[in-house]
Structures are given as C-alpha cells and as structure tokens.
Amino acid sequence: MTPTQPRTVPAGDDDLVRRAKAGDSAAFSELVQRYNRRIFRLTKHITQNQEDAEDVLQEVFMKAYTHLSTFEGNSKFYTWLVRIAVNESLMKLRKRKSGKQVSLDEPVSTGDEEIMREIAVWESTPEQKYSQTELRGILDEAVQSLEPIYRTVFLLRDVDELSTEEAAESLGLTVPAVKSRLLRARLQLREKLTRVFKRKGDDLFAFL
Amino acid sequence: MLSCRDVLGWLNEYLEETADLETRRHLEAHVNACPNCWVIFDTTKKTIQVYKGMEPLALPEDVELRLMAVLRRRMESGGSAAPPA
C-alpha cells in the first residue's frame, strides 16, 4: 500500500447493497446519498416540474428500499435505480398531462430538415464565453426542449455516461432503438446549440 | 460513394470510434471533402463534449431533508429491506 492511498476506500455498491439487504439502514442511506443527485437530475429533466421531480425522487428510493430483496445484482444498482426513476417519472408525466399520451416510443418523425437547418461553426469555446451558471442554463434549456424520449436517452448516454446496453436496459428499449434515438437527440441538440454558439458574422454569408 | 445522409447515419459510430476501419476511411474521406458534414460532425462532437461531465447539482437542502426524513420513517416502520424470514 502506498502512503498516498486513502485509509478507507469507499465501499462498493455491491457491498452496500448486500448490507442493506441484511437490514443495515446506514448502508442503504449511503446508497441514497451516492445517487440522489443524479436521480433528481433525471426526474427533473423528465417531469420538467420541480415538485413532481421531488415526489418521484422520494418514490424511487422508497421503492428501491421496499423491493431491494428482488434486486439480484444482474445489473448495476444504479441502472436498476434509473429504471425505477424512468418508470415513475413517466407515470407522473402522464398524470400531469392527463389524457395526453406520453411514452418512450418514437414520436412522429421530425424529418431531416428539422435537424439540418443550422450549419455553422461555433465560437471556439462556449465554456470561456459564458459563466458556469449561464452555460448550465443554456444546456438545460436545450435538453428540455427535446421530446421526453430524446432527452432521456441523451441524458443517460451522454451526461450520465451509461453504456448503450445499460441505457437500453434502464429504458426497456432495444440497443438499436437506443442508438437511433441517441443519434436524433444529438443532432437536435447540435442544431439548438448552434443557434446560440455559432460564430457571429457567419450569418452574413447565409444568403450565398 | 457515400451520400451525406449515409454519412450522418454513421455519426454515432464515427464519434465513438466504433466503426470498422474500412467504413471509417470512407467516412473520413467524405467528411474532409464535404464542408457541411464536416461542420455537423465537428459541432456534434462539441455538443457531446460540452455536456459530458456536467456534474449534477447538489440537492437543495430542503429536498434532501425531506427525502431522508421519508426514508427514515420507512426504515423505522419495521418492514425492512430484507426478505421476510
């Protein structure tokens, strides 16, 4: 052991799950602390409503606690949580928009012209041009404007960095379905962000 | 010869470097010769980069307190996570 190594290595999820299953509340609380921020971000993005997102956040961990004995460890604990969070969030969204269909099915195709209108290079570094808070605002707003399925897939794959397989498992979709939705999500976001980040002056040449 | 539409269909694989070598060569040849596809590939890459690693914000304190209170009540109510004996 090298001297720089921390004395206590944080317990792995598997270990915490095992202890929680045996009735160790502290172990379960630690899992909650570990993932509540990511789950809350997800429920906020899907429900687009702070109050609903908090309700769902609570329901997710209540359900996880209640059903922990059925979690067999074939997938990662976080993937299992995401699956609960996605289901609960969609249920909430349906209730809120009572009658309006909300699903993870592909929405009516938007057509390529929707994602190909804005072709311009960006200012070299949006990260330097905007403050952290401004940038977060811009990025959040762009994600929020996507259809639920696209923003969910994008969030899981490109923000939360789940693998395609994990995202597919969490969403109950096939791998090819995740891939095609991710492609559309990325292209739609690219389009939206280009409107904000494009190098000024390039519009002058748009008529050429 | 790949069309722009074909090339766009390979965008994920190209950016994630999962396309096979042969396809990759075709894609690169197209992208280097086609300004529109070059811009789309470049700005999509930047889109992914700018989101990647965006840390989730901490829970607002009241949200966290309510969450932990609800869970504590649940845990104390007896029905433990353990399967019934």
Side-chain angles (χ1 to χ4, degrees), chain A residues 25-54:
Chain A
S25 304
F28 188 75
S29 298
E30 195 168 333
L31 286 166
V32 176
Q33 298 288 353
R34 194 168 281 187
Y35 294 120
N36 60 20
R37 298 184 312 156
R38 285 164 76 183
I39 294 294
F40 192 48
R41 172 165 69 183
L42 190 60
T43 64
K44 264 197 304 194
H45 272 294
I46 303 180
T47 64
Q48 298 191 314
N49 175 296
Q50 182 87 8
E51 204 179 303
D52 286 350
E54 182 179 346

PDB file of all heavy atoms in Angstrom, chain A residues 25-54:
ATOM      1  N   SER A  25     -29.546  -0.099   7.728  1.00  0.00           N
ATOM      2  CA  SER A  25     -30.124   1.142   7.208  1.00  0.00           C
ATOM      3  C   SER A  25     -29.048   2.133   6.775  1.00  0.00           C
ATOM      4  O   SER A  25     -29.222   2.874   5.804  1.00  0.00           O
ATOM      5  CB  SER A  25     -30.987   1.832   8.269  1.00  0.00           C
ATOM      6  OG  SER A  25     -31.961   0.962   8.726  1.00  0.00           O
ATOM      7  N   ALA A  26     -27.942   2.151   7.518  1.00  0.00           N
ATOM      8  CA  ALA A  26     -26.867   3.094   7.193  1.00  0.00           C
ATOM      9  C   ALA A  26     -26.316   2.808   5.796  1.00  0.00           C
ATOM     10  O   ALA A  26     -25.991   3.733   5.043  1.00  0.00           O
ATOM     11  CB  ALA A  26     -25.759   3.007   8.229  1.00  0.00           C
ATOM     12  N   ALA A  27     -26.213   1.523   5.455  1.00  0.00           N
ATOM     13  CA  ALA A  27     -25.702   1.150   4.140  1.00  0.00           C
ATOM     14  C   ALA A  27     -26.663   1.644   3.062  1.00  0.00           C
ATOM     15  O   ALA A  27     -26.239   2.179   2.031  1.00  0.00           O
ATOM     16  CB  ALA A  27     -25.530  -0.363   4.045  1.00  0.00           C
ATOM     17  N   PHE A  28     -27.975   1.488   3.308  1.00  0.00           N
ATOM     18  CA  PHE A  28     -28.945   1.966   2.318  1.00  0.00           C
ATOM     19  C   PHE A  28     -28.871   3.488   2.193  1.00  0.00           C
ATOM     20  O   PHE A  28     -28.885   4.029   1.085  1.00  0.00           O
ATOM     21  CB  PHE A  28     -30.372   1.523   2.661  1.00  0.00           C
ATOM     22  CG  PHE A  28     -31.339   1.845   1.559  1.00  0.00           C
ATOM     23  CD1 PHE A  28     -31.361   1.078   0.398  1.00  0.00           C
ATOM     24  CD2 PHE A  28     -32.199   2.933   1.663  1.00  0.00           C
ATOM     25  CE1 PHE A  28     -32.231   1.384  -0.643  1.00  0.00           C
ATOM     26  CE2 PHE A  28     -33.063   3.251   0.621  1.00  0.00           C
ATOM     27  CZ  PHE A  28     -33.084   2.478  -0.529  1.00  0.00           C
ATOM     28  N   SER A  29     -28.754   4.164   3.344  1.00  0.00           N
ATOM     29  CA  SER A  29     -28.652   5.633   3.307  1.00  0.00           C
ATOM     30  C   SER A  29     -27.442   6.077   2.490  1.00  0.00           C
ATOM     31  O   SER A  29     -27.500   7.094   1.792  1.00  0.00           O
ATOM     32  CB  SER A  29     -28.541   6.202   4.718  1.00  0.00           C
ATOM     33  OG  SER A  29     -29.699   5.890   5.447  1.00  0.00           O
ATOM     34  N   GLU A  30     -26.369   5.327   2.590  1.00  0.00           N
ATOM     35  CA  GLU A  30     -25.183   5.703   1.830  1.00  0.00           C
ATOM     36  C   GLU A  30     -25.432   5.571   0.323  1.00  0.00           C
ATOM     37  O   GLU A  30     -24.982   6.404  -0.462  1.00  0.00           O
ATOM     38  CB  GLU A  30     -23.987   4.847   2.254  1.00  0.00           C
ATOM     39  CG  GLU A  30     -22.683   5.449   1.775  1.00  0.00           C
ATOM     40  CD  GLU A  30     -21.442   4.818   2.397  1.00  0.00           C
ATOM     41  OE1 GLU A  30     -21.544   4.297   3.529  1.00  0.00           O
ATOM     42  OE2 GLU A  30     -20.396   4.851   1.736  1.00  0.00           O
ATOM     43  N   LEU A  31     -26.159   4.537  -0.060  1.00  0.00           N
ATOM     44  CA  LEU A  31     -26.509   4.395  -1.484  1.00  0.00           C
ATOM     45  C   LEU A  31     -27.381   5.571  -1.936  1.00  0.00           C
ATOM     46  O   LEU A  31     -27.223   6.084  -3.042  1.00  0.00           O
ATOM     47  CB  LEU A  31     -27.264   3.078  -1.705  1.00  0.00           C
ATOM     48  CG  LEU A  31     -26.416   1.806  -1.657  1.00  0.00           C
ATOM     49  CD1 LEU A  31     -27.310   0.574  -1.555  1.00  0.00           C
ATOM     50  CD2 LEU A  31     -25.507   1.702  -2.885  1.00  0.00           C
ATOM     51  N   VAL A  32     -28.277   5.994  -1.055  1.00  0.00           N
ATOM     52  CA  VAL A  32     -29.142   7.132  -1.386  1.00  0.00           C
ATOM     53  C   VAL A  32     -28.298   8.385  -1.587  1.00  0.00           C
ATOM     54  O   VAL A  32     -28.455   9.114  -2.568  1.00  0.00           O
ATOM     55  CB  VAL A  32     -30.193   7.371  -0.274  1.00  0.00           C
ATOM     56  CG1 VAL A  32     -31.025   8.619  -0.574  1.00  0.00           C
ATOM     57  CG2 VAL A  32     -31.096   6.151  -0.115  1.00  0.00           C
ATOM     58  N   GLN A  33     -27.378   8.612  -0.661  1.00  0.00           N
ATOM     59  CA  GLN A  33     -26.504   9.801  -0.754  1.00  0.00           C
ATOM     60  C   GLN A  33     -25.665   9.758  -2.028  1.00  0.00           C
ATOM     61  O   GLN A  33     -25.383  10.776  -2.638  1.00  0.00           O
ATOM     62  CB  GLN A  33     -25.547   9.867   0.450  1.00  0.00           C
ATOM     63  CG  GLN A  33     -26.239   9.997   1.794  1.00  0.00           C
ATOM     64  CD  GLN A  33     -26.842  11.368   2.011  1.00  0.00           C
ATOM     65  OE1 GLN A  33     -26.635  12.264   1.206  1.00  0.00           O
ATOM     66  NE2 GLN A  33     -27.612  11.516   3.093  1.00  0.00           N
ATOM     67  N   ARG A  34     -25.282   8.572  -2.400  1.00  0.00           N
ATOM     68  CA  ARG A  34     -24.415   8.405  -3.560  1.00  0.00           C
ATOM     69  C   ARG A  34     -25.131   8.769  -4.857  1.00  0.00           C
ATOM     70  O   ARG A  34     -24.537   9.303  -5.775  1.00  0.00           O
ATOM     71  CB  ARG A  34     -23.947   6.940  -3.601  1.00  0.00           C
ATOM     72  CG  ARG A  34     -22.795   6.674  -4.519  1.00  0.00           C
ATOM     73  CD  ARG A  34     -22.215   5.293  -4.276  1.00  0.00           C
ATOM     74  NE  ARG A  34     -21.353   5.243  -3.108  1.00  0.00           N
ATOM     75  CZ  ARG A  34     -20.613   4.175  -2.766  1.00  0.00           C
ATOM     76  NH1 ARG A  34     -20.660   3.075  -3.495  1.00  0.00           N
ATOM     77  NH2 ARG A  34     -19.856   4.203  -1.702  1.00  0.00           N
ATOM     78  N   TYR A  35     -26.412   8.455  -4.941  1.00  0.00           N
ATOM     79  CA  TYR A  35     -27.103   8.598  -6.225  1.00  0.00           C
ATOM     80  C   TYR A  35     -28.244   9.604  -6.260  1.00  0.00           C
ATOM     81  O   TYR A  35     -28.828   9.829  -7.318  1.00  0.00           O
ATOM     82  CB  TYR A  35     -27.620   7.231  -6.685  1.00  0.00           C
ATOM     83  CG  TYR A  35     -26.485   6.284  -7.001  1.00  0.00           C
ATOM     84  CD1 TYR A  35     -26.329   5.086  -6.320  1.00  0.00           C
ATOM     85  CD2 TYR A  35     -25.543   6.621  -7.968  1.00  0.00           C
ATOM     86  CE1 TYR A  35     -25.267   4.240  -6.588  1.00  0.00           C
ATOM     87  CE2 TYR A  35     -24.478   5.790  -8.248  1.00  0.00           C
ATOM     88  CZ  TYR A  35     -24.350   4.597  -7.563  1.00  0.00           C
ATOM     89  OH  TYR A  35     -23.299   3.777  -7.835  1.00  0.00           O
ATOM     90  N   ASN A  36     -28.572  10.231  -5.131  1.00  0.00           N
ATOM     91  CA  ASN A  36     -29.774  11.085  -5.151  1.00  0.00           C
ATOM     92  C   ASN A  36     -29.646  12.272  -6.109  1.00  0.00           C
ATOM     93  O   ASN A  36     -30.610  12.660  -6.748  1.00  0.00           O
ATOM     94  CB  ASN A  36     -30.198  11.519  -3.739  1.00  0.00           C
ATOM     95  CG  ASN A  36     -29.145  12.308  -3.000  1.00  0.00           C
ATOM     96  OD1 ASN A  36     -28.232  12.871  -3.609  1.00  0.00           O
ATOM     97  ND2 ASN A  36     -29.261  12.369  -1.684  1.00  0.00           N
ATOM     98  N   ARG A  37     -28.428  12.807  -6.256  1.00  0.00           N
ATOM     99  CA  ARG A  37     -28.291  13.965  -7.150  1.00  0.00           C
ATOM    100  C   ARG A  37     -28.532  13.579  -8.603  1.00  0.00           C
ATOM    101  O   ARG A  37     -29.184  14.285  -9.357  1.00  0.00           O
ATOM    102  CB  ARG A  37     -26.882  14.566  -7.019  1.00  0.00           C
ATOM    103  CG  ARG A  37     -26.586  15.070  -5.623  1.00  0.00           C
ATOM    104  CD  ARG A  37     -25.236  15.735  -5.543  1.00  0.00           C
ATOM    105  NE  ARG A  37     -24.175  14.932  -6.154  1.00  0.00           N
ATOM    106  CZ  ARG A  37     -23.038  15.444  -6.623  1.00  0.00           C
ATOM    107  NH1 ARG A  37     -22.812  16.731  -6.574  1.00  0.00           N
ATOM    108  NH2 ARG A  37     -22.127  14.657  -7.136  1.00  0.00           N
ATOM    109  N   ARG A  38     -27.969  12.445  -9.010  1.00  0.00           N
ATOM    110  CA  ARG A  38     -28.143  12.020 -10.396  1.00  0.00           C
ATOM    111  C   ARG A  38     -29.595  11.627 -10.669  1.00  0.00           C
ATOM    112  O   ARG A  38     -30.138  11.907 -11.744  1.00  0.00           O
ATOM    113  CB  ARG A  38     -27.199  10.852 -10.722  1.00  0.00           C
ATOM    114  CG  ARG A  38     -25.744  11.330 -10.891  1.00  0.00           C
ATOM    115  CD  ARG A  38     -24.775  10.186 -10.825  1.00  0.00           C
ATOM    116  NE  ARG A  38     -24.756   9.397 -12.053  1.00  0.00           N
ATOM    117  CZ  ARG A  38     -24.010   8.284 -12.194  1.00  0.00           C
ATOM    118  NH1 ARG A  38     -23.257   7.851 -11.207  1.00  0.00           N
ATOM    119  NH2 ARG A  38     -24.022   7.625 -13.319  1.00  0.00           N
ATOM    120  N   ILE A  39     -30.218  10.965  -9.691  1.00  0.00           N
ATOM    121  CA  ILE A  39     -31.621  10.578  -9.880  1.00  0.00           C
ATOM    122  C   ILE A  39     -32.514  11.818  -9.935  1.00  0.00           C
ATOM    123  O   ILE A  39     -33.434  11.906 -10.750  1.00  0.00           O
ATOM    124  CB  ILE A  39     -32.087   9.614  -8.758  1.00  0.00           C
ATOM    125  CG1 ILE A  39     -31.343   8.272  -8.850  1.00  0.00           C
ATOM    126  CG2 ILE A  39     -33.601   9.391  -8.806  1.00  0.00           C
ATOM    127  CD1 ILE A  39     -31.659   7.451 -10.101  1.00  0.00           C
ATOM    128  N   PHE A  40     -32.211  12.808  -9.097  1.00  0.00           N
ATOM    129  CA  PHE A  40     -33.023  14.026  -9.088  1.00  0.00           C
ATOM    130  C   PHE A  40     -32.889  14.777 -10.413  1.00  0.00           C
ATOM    131  O   PHE A  40     -33.856  15.305 -10.951  1.00  0.00           O
ATOM    132  CB  PHE A  40     -32.612  14.922  -7.909  1.00  0.00           C
ATOM    133  CG  PHE A  40     -33.563  16.055  -7.628  1.00  0.00           C
ATOM    134  CD1 PHE A  40     -34.932  15.842  -7.552  1.00  0.00           C
ATOM    135  CD2 PHE A  40     -33.083  17.346  -7.415  1.00  0.00           C
ATOM    136  CE1 PHE A  40     -35.814  16.887  -7.285  1.00  0.00           C
ATOM    137  CE2 PHE A  40     -33.958  18.400  -7.144  1.00  0.00           C
ATOM    138  CZ  PHE A  40     -35.314  18.170  -7.083  1.00  0.00           C
ATOM    139  N   ARG A  41     -31.678  14.811 -10.939  1.00  0.00           N
ATOM    140  CA  ARG A  41     -31.481  15.462 -12.242  1.00  0.00           C
ATOM    141  C   ARG A  41     -32.347  14.778 -13.310  1.00  0.00           C
ATOM    142  O   ARG A  41     -32.988  15.421 -14.122  1.00  0.00           O
ATOM    143  CB  ARG A  41     -29.997  15.397 -12.642  1.00  0.00           C
ATOM    144  CG  ARG A  41     -29.752  15.872 -14.066  1.00  0.00           C
ATOM    145  CD  ARG A  41     -28.310  16.148 -14.357  1.00  0.00           C
ATOM    146  NE  ARG A  41     -27.491  14.941 -14.380  1.00  0.00           N
ATOM    147  CZ  ARG A  41     -26.174  14.939 -14.557  1.00  0.00           C
ATOM    148  NH1 ARG A  41     -25.530  16.076 -14.674  1.00  0.00           N
ATOM    149  NH2 ARG A  41     -25.499  13.815 -14.579  1.00  0.00           N
ATOM    150  N   LEU A  42     -32.346  13.456 -13.266  1.00  0.00           N
ATOM    151  CA  LEU A  42     -33.118  12.679 -14.228  1.00  0.00           C
ATOM    152  C   LEU A  42     -34.619  12.950 -14.074  1.00  0.00           C
ATOM    153  O   LEU A  42     -35.322  13.213 -15.056  1.00  0.00           O
ATOM    154  CB  LEU A  42     -32.813  11.196 -14.009  1.00  0.00           C
ATOM    155  CG  LEU A  42     -33.301  10.195 -15.024  1.00  0.00           C
ATOM    156  CD1 LEU A  42     -32.721  10.487 -16.395  1.00  0.00           C
ATOM    157  CD2 LEU A  42     -32.910   8.779 -14.591  1.00  0.00           C
ATOM    158  N   THR A  43     -35.114  12.893 -12.844  1.00  0.00           N
ATOM    159  CA  THR A  43     -36.562  13.077 -12.636  1.00  0.00           C
ATOM    160  C   THR A  43     -36.960  14.520 -12.976  1.00  0.00           C
ATOM    161  O   THR A  43     -38.050  14.760 -13.473  1.00  0.00           O
ATOM    162  CB  THR A  43     -37.003  12.712 -11.200  1.00  0.00           C
ATOM    163  OG1 THR A  43     -36.389  13.604 -10.257  1.00  0.00           O
ATOM    164  CG2 THR A  43     -36.627  11.291 -10.852  1.00  0.00           C
ATOM    165  N   LYS A  44     -36.049  15.468 -12.728  1.00  0.00           N
ATOM    166  CA  LYS A  44     -36.351  16.861 -13.097  1.00  0.00           C
ATOM    167  C   LYS A  44     -36.442  17.008 -14.607  1.00  0.00           C
ATOM    168  O   LYS A  44     -37.322  17.667 -15.127  1.00  0.00           O
ATOM    169  CB  LYS A  44     -35.251  17.796 -12.568  1.00  0.00           C
ATOM    170  CG  LYS A  44     -35.602  18.430 -11.243  1.00  0.00           C
ATOM    171  CD  LYS A  44     -34.730  19.637 -10.937  1.00  0.00           C
ATOM    172  CE  LYS A  44     -33.253  19.303 -10.978  1.00  0.00           C
ATOM    173  NZ  LYS A  44     -32.396  20.328 -10.375  1.00  0.00           N
ATOM    174  N   HIS A  45     -35.496  16.372 -15.298  1.00  0.00           N
ATOM    175  CA  HIS A  45     -35.492  16.510 -16.750  1.00  0.00           C
ATOM    176  C   HIS A  45     -36.694  15.828 -17.380  1.00  0.00           C
ATOM    177  O   HIS A  45     -37.237  16.309 -18.361  1.00  0.00           O
ATOM    178  CB  HIS A  45     -34.202  15.939 -17.344  1.00  0.00           C
ATOM    179  CG  HIS A  45     -33.099  16.951 -17.402  1.00  0.00           C
ATOM    180  ND1 HIS A  45     -33.160  18.064 -18.199  1.00  0.00           N
ATOM    181  CD2 HIS A  45     -31.922  17.033 -16.751  1.00  0.00           C
ATOM    182  CE1 HIS A  45     -32.065  18.787 -18.047  1.00  0.00           C
ATOM    183  NE2 HIS A  45     -31.284  18.182 -17.169  1.00  0.00           N
ATOM    184  N   ILE A  46     -37.108  14.699 -16.841  1.00  0.00           N
ATOM    185  CA  ILE A  46     -38.246  14.004 -17.472  1.00  0.00           C
ATOM    186  C   ILE A  46     -39.565  14.690 -17.118  1.00  0.00           C
ATOM    187  O   ILE A  46     -40.386  14.941 -17.981  1.00  0.00           O
ATOM    188  CB  ILE A  46     -38.289  12.507 -17.120  1.00  0.00           C
ATOM    189  CG1 ILE A  46     -36.976  11.825 -17.510  1.00  0.00           C
ATOM    190  CG2 ILE A  46     -39.460  11.824 -17.863  1.00  0.00           C
ATOM    191  CD1 ILE A  46     -36.924  10.341 -17.206  1.00  0.00           C
ATOM    192  N   THR A  47     -39.761  14.999 -15.823  1.00  0.00           N
ATOM    193  CA  THR A  47     -41.054  15.579 -15.440  1.00  0.00           C
ATOM    194  C   THR A  47     -41.138  17.070 -15.761  1.00  0.00           C
ATOM    195  O   THR A  47     -42.227  17.605 -15.920  1.00  0.00           O
ATOM    196  CB  THR A  47     -41.327  15.411 -13.930  1.00  0.00           C
ATOM    197  OG1 THR A  47     -40.335  16.152 -13.193  1.00  0.00           O
ATOM    198  CG2 THR A  47     -41.288  13.956 -13.512  1.00  0.00           C
ATOM    199  N   GLN A  48     -40.005  17.734 -15.831  1.00  0.00           N
ATOM    200  CA  GLN A  48     -39.933  19.178 -16.075  1.00  0.00           C
ATOM    201  C   GLN A  48     -40.737  19.967 -15.055  1.00  0.00           C
ATOM    202  O   GLN A  48     -41.366  20.974 -15.378  1.00  0.00           O
ATOM    203  CB  GLN A  48     -40.422  19.512 -17.491  1.00  0.00           C
ATOM    204  CG  GLN A  48     -39.559  18.854 -18.545  1.00  0.00           C
ATOM    205  CD  GLN A  48     -39.846  19.367 -19.934  1.00  0.00           C
ATOM    206  OE1 GLN A  48     -40.992  19.498 -20.324  1.00  0.00           O
ATOM    207  NE2 GLN A  48     -38.813  19.645 -20.695  1.00  0.00           N
ATOM    208  N   ASN A  49     -40.762  19.479 -13.849  1.00  0.00           N
ATOM    209  CA  ASN A  49     -41.532  20.135 -12.798  1.00  0.00           C
ATOM    210  C   ASN A  49     -40.866  19.799 -11.461  1.00  0.00           C
ATOM    211  O   ASN A  49     -40.732  18.631 -11.094  1.00  0.00           O
ATOM    212  CB  ASN A  49     -42.976  19.608 -12.856  1.00  0.00           C
ATOM    213  CG  ASN A  49     -43.833  20.123 -11.733  1.00  0.00           C
ATOM    214  OD1 ASN A  49     -43.593  19.839 -10.558  1.00  0.00           O
ATOM    215  ND2 ASN A  49     -44.832  20.896 -12.086  1.00  0.00           N
ATOM    216  N   GLN A  50     -40.461  20.823 -10.751  1.00  0.00           N
ATOM    217  CA  GLN A  50     -39.681  20.638  -9.530  1.00  0.00           C
ATOM    218  C   GLN A  50     -40.412  19.786  -8.488  1.00  0.00           C
ATOM    219  O   GLN A  50     -39.840  18.888  -7.896  1.00  0.00           O
ATOM    220  CB  GLN A  50     -39.362  22.027  -8.956  1.00  0.00           C
ATOM    221  CG  GLN A  50     -38.509  22.018  -7.684  1.00  0.00           C
ATOM    222  CD  GLN A  50     -37.008  21.991  -7.997  1.00  0.00           C
ATOM    223  OE1 GLN A  50     -36.599  22.128  -9.157  1.00  0.00           O
ATOM    224  NE2 GLN A  50     -36.192  21.803  -6.979  1.00  0.00           N
ATOM    225  N   GLU A  51     -41.696  20.083  -8.326  1.00  0.00           N
ATOM    226  CA  GLU A  51     -42.486  19.395  -7.305  1.00  0.00           C
ATOM    227  C   GLU A  51     -42.649  17.912  -7.659  1.00  0.00           C
ATOM    228  O   GLU A  51     -42.448  17.033  -6.820  1.00  0.00           O
ATOM    229  CB  GLU A  51     -43.859  20.072  -7.250  1.00  0.00           C
ATOM    230  CG  GLU A  51     -44.614  19.940  -5.961  1.00  0.00           C
ATOM    231  CD  GLU A  51     -45.934  20.692  -6.090  1.00  0.00           C
ATOM    232  OE1 GLU A  51     -45.907  21.913  -6.389  1.00  0.00           O
ATOM    233  OE2 GLU A  51     -46.983  20.031  -5.945  1.00  0.00           O
ATOM    234  N   ASP A  52     -43.004  17.651  -8.904  1.00  0.00           N
ATOM    235  CA  ASP A  52     -43.138  16.264  -9.361  1.00  0.00           C
ATOM    236  C   ASP A  52     -41.803  15.535  -9.246  1.00  0.00           C
ATOM    237  O   ASP A  52     -41.749  14.374  -8.844  1.00  0.00           O
ATOM    238  CB  ASP A  52     -43.575  16.219 -10.831  1.00  0.00           C
ATOM    239  CG  ASP A  52     -45.041  16.596 -11.001  1.00  0.00           C
ATOM    240  OD1 ASP A  52     -45.734  16.698  -9.964  1.00  0.00           O
ATOM    241  OD2 ASP A  52     -45.482  16.780 -12.143  1.00  0.00           O
ATOM    242  N   ALA A  53     -40.735  16.242  -9.610  1.00  0.00           N
ATOM    243  CA  ALA A  53     -39.414  15.618  -9.572  1.00  0.00           C
ATOM    244  C   ALA A  53     -39.059  15.192  -8.153  1.00  0.00           C
ATOM    245  O   ALA A  53     -38.486  14.122  -7.936  1.00  0.00           O
ATOM    246  CB  ALA A  53     -38.370  16.581 -10.112  1.00  0.00           C
ATOM    247  N   GLU A  54     -39.444  16.013  -7.176  1.00  0.00           N
ATOM    248  CA  GLU A  54     -39.158  15.658  -5.787  1.00  0.00           C
ATOM    249  C   GLU A  54     -40.018  14.476  -5.334  1.00  0.00           C
ATOM    250  O   GLU A  54     -39.518  13.558  -4.676  1.00  0.00           O
ATOM    251  CB  GLU A  54     -39.376  16.856  -4.857  1.00  0.00           C
ATOM    252  CG  GLU A  54     -39.028  16.492  -3.419  1.00  0.00           C
ATOM    253  CD  GLU A  54     -39.182  17.629  -2.421  1.00  0.00           C
ATOM    254  OE1 GLU A  54     -39.308  18.799  -2.831  1.00  0.00           O
ATOM    255  OE2 GLU A  54     -39.170  17.321  -1.208  1.00  0.00           O
TER     256      GLU A  54
END
